[in-house]
Each structure stands twice: as structure tokens, then as C-alpha cells.
Amino acid sequence: MSDVDVPESHPRYESLLLRHRIEEGVEAGITSKQGLIAQGRGEAYDYLLGERTIPSADAAERAAAAHLLRADHPVLSVNGNVAALAPEETVELAAATGAALEVNLFNRTEARMERIADHLREHGAEEVLGLAADGRIPGLDHERAKVDADGIGSADVVLVPLEDGDRAEALAEMDTTEIVIDLNPLSRSARTATVPVVDNLIRALPNMTEHARSLAGADEAELDAVVEAFDREAALEAAEAAIRSPEE
Ligand code: ATP
């Protein structure tokens, strides 16, 4: 038994554990109530995908790692669900790729921003951006547009896990390569991303870190080849096909 009070042999153990982390995130003031709804949607898609990393998602994770490694100024965007579900995994990916961490919330409050930044620091983060809010994403209303000028505001590659469609679209309009993690291959976020990663955040982040470590010695040409070999349309189609025909 763990602190969730569900036996590890329970067939839905993993899923219940993640649900519990989100509940705890809400209680700690890290995750918003809307985060509970996002979690529910994610669970449904993960169930349909067989709760596994399908081969096209693994290819996307490798391409994402290559993008982050060859970037001049990569940034990982962190929201309340990401902080509750995978703080350590996020910090590890940042360390493996040299990316900055920036808290970026749909429903921004200073208190929640600070709690998430503290939570990331407790899990090993050194610098956490997002609180300066001295930059703007064009095309969004005031609160949702706020970013740090030296973070997402000037990033060449941004990883946005579980981003809402509006913001994903606005970011894509900027001169930024966007990597999105979203279990719904039909979501606007996945559809606007340069690299859509249709996988659970909890599996995607450690797998990206593993790919980043294995690509650490690669030269520019090798990284370019990994990036170019990835076909976003094919990956989205493969994810949809996996949902429709889980046995494949
Ligand atoms: P759209 O991009 O179509 O506008 P939306 O803004 O309505 O979508 P939200 O309601 O913000 O999307 O939902 C968040 C998205 O995050 C959902 O598509 C859900 O599948 C996805 N999601 C939730 N939890 C996870 C997770 N752990 N890993 C990956 N994706 C997740």
C-alpha cells in the first residue's frame, strides 16, 4: 500500500496514483480546480491509448530531445498539473537539455506562481522563471499573455505540456519551435505543435530525458537528422489510429 490507500496490485493503480497527486496539488494550492478536469480528459485518452508510449510518441520524444539540445535558448513551461504530477522529472529534463524552467499558468495568480516555483526548487530546480512577467505573447489577453522576457519571451524552443489550445496557437505564431505534450491527438495544442507528443506527461518526460542523455554526444548534423526524420502528420495519424485500433 502507498499513501493513496490503493493496493499496488489494483489494475488502475498508476492512474489512481496520478489522480491522487493532482488532488494533493489542488489541496496545496499548486493546481487549479480546472486542472482536475484536464486530468480527467487525459485519463480517458490514456486509457484509449493503452496507457503506453506508442512508437510514434517515442519518435516524437526523441525529436523533442534533439530540438531542445540544439536550441540556443530552450525553455520548459510548467503549469499546475505538471508541477503536481512530475516536478522531479521536469527538473531532470531541464538539467539534461540545458533548458530553463518557467512557470506559466492559464489562471495566473501570484500566490500560485510562487508556490509552484517553491515546489520546483524543493525538487532540485535552481532558477525558476515566470515571476518577472516582463514579456508578452502577442494575440492573447493581458493575464494569459504574461511571460518572462528572458524566458519564453525570447526562447527559440519551448516545451509546453498540457497547454490550452489558445496559448499553444499564439506561441506557434511567434518565432518559436513548439513541443506539446498532450494525450489528445485532436486537440488544437497537438495540432499546432512542431512536435506533438501524444503520450502521458509522466512517461514522456523521463523518456525525453533518456533520449537527451543518449544524444548528448551527438554533433549538430546528427541532431538535425533526428529532427528532420520526425514527421508530425504521421505521428498524429498514428496516435489516432492507435486509439481506434488499440491492438495494433
Ligand atoms: P484544446 O487544445 O483542444 O483547446 P483544451 O484547451 O480544451 O484543448 P484542456 O481542457 O486544457 O485542453 O485539457 C488539457 C489537455 O491536456 C487535454 O487534451 C488532456 O488530454 C491533456 N492531458 C491531461 N493530463 C495529461 C497528462 N498527464 N499527460 C498528457 N496530456 C494530458
Side-chain angles (χ1 to χ4, degrees), residues 164-169 182 184-193:
D164 90 287
D166 265 7
R167 261 219 309 229
E169 277 175 2
D182 192 327
N184 176 5
L186 301 174
S187 81
R188 279 184 299 151
S189 311
R191 302 219 152 245
T192 51

Side-chain angles (χ1 to χ4, degrees), residues 38 41-42 85 162 164-165 182-184 187-189 199-201:
R41 295 179 71 181
L85 289 174
L162 332 187
D164 90 287
D182 192 327
L183 278 157
N184 176 5
S187 81
R188 279 184 299 151
S189 311
D199 198 5
N200 197 319
L201 169 83

Side-chain angles (χ1 to χ4, degrees), residues 36-239:
L36 292 165
I37 296 165
Q39 171 70 13
R41 295 179 71 181
E43 267 182 22
Y45 283 106
D46 207 11
Y47 187 90
L48 293 170
L49 278 164
E51 293 169 335
R52 67 199 162 112
T53 299
I54 58 174
S56 55
D58 182 58
E61 284 152 14
R62 191 165 176 81
H67 269 291
L68 291 167
L69 285 172
R70 68 177 198 168
D72 290 326
H73 185 24
V75 178
L76 313 186
S77 172
V78 180
N79 67 15
N81 283 50
V82 176
L85 289 174
E88 224 170 274
E89 291 84 347
T90 306
V91 172
E92 276 176 15
L93 178 61
T97 56
L101 291 165
E102 177 162 344
V103 184
N104 202 260
L105 303 181
F106 183 79
N107 296 299
R108 184 188 174 99
T109 71
E110 291 308 301
R112 211 149 69 77
M113 297 284 298
E114 270 164 34
R115 277 196 288 265
I116 292 175
D118 286 345
H119 188 65
L120 290 173
R121 283 190 209 102
E122 280 161 24
H123 286 86
E126 280 164 25
E127 200 184 359
V128 183
L129 304 172
L131 288 150
D134 50 357
R136 297 285 176 270
I137 305 174
L140 291 176
D141 63 73
H142 184 70
E143 277 308 295
R144 288 202 295 139
K146 285 183 177 173
V147 287
D148 275 18
D150 63 350
I152 292 174
S154 53
D156 52 353
V157 176
V158 186
L159 170 71
V160 280
L162 332 187
E163 183 57 277
D164 90 287
D166 265 7
R167 261 219 309 229
E169 277 175 2
L171 270 171
E173 294 285 307
M174 293 168 72
D175 204 10
T176 315
T177 297
E178 196 176 15
I179 304 161
V180 164
I181 302 176
D182 192 327
L183 278 157
N184 176 5
L186 301 174
S187 81
R188 279 184 299 151
S189 311
R191 302 219 152 245
T192 51
T194 314
V195 181
V197 178
V198 184
D199 198 5
N200 197 319
L201 169 83
I202 207 75
R203 297 187 298 268
L205 292 174
N207 198 31
M208 279 182 200
T209 300
E210 227 173 90
H211 281 302
R213 288 183 182 144
S214 83
L215 289 168
D219 60 24
E220 200 80 358
E222 284 173 79
L223 295 177
D224 290 351
V226 174
V227 162
E228 271 147 38
F230 177 70
D231 180 342
R232 61 180 300 286
E233 300 301 328
L236 288 170
E237 271 171 35

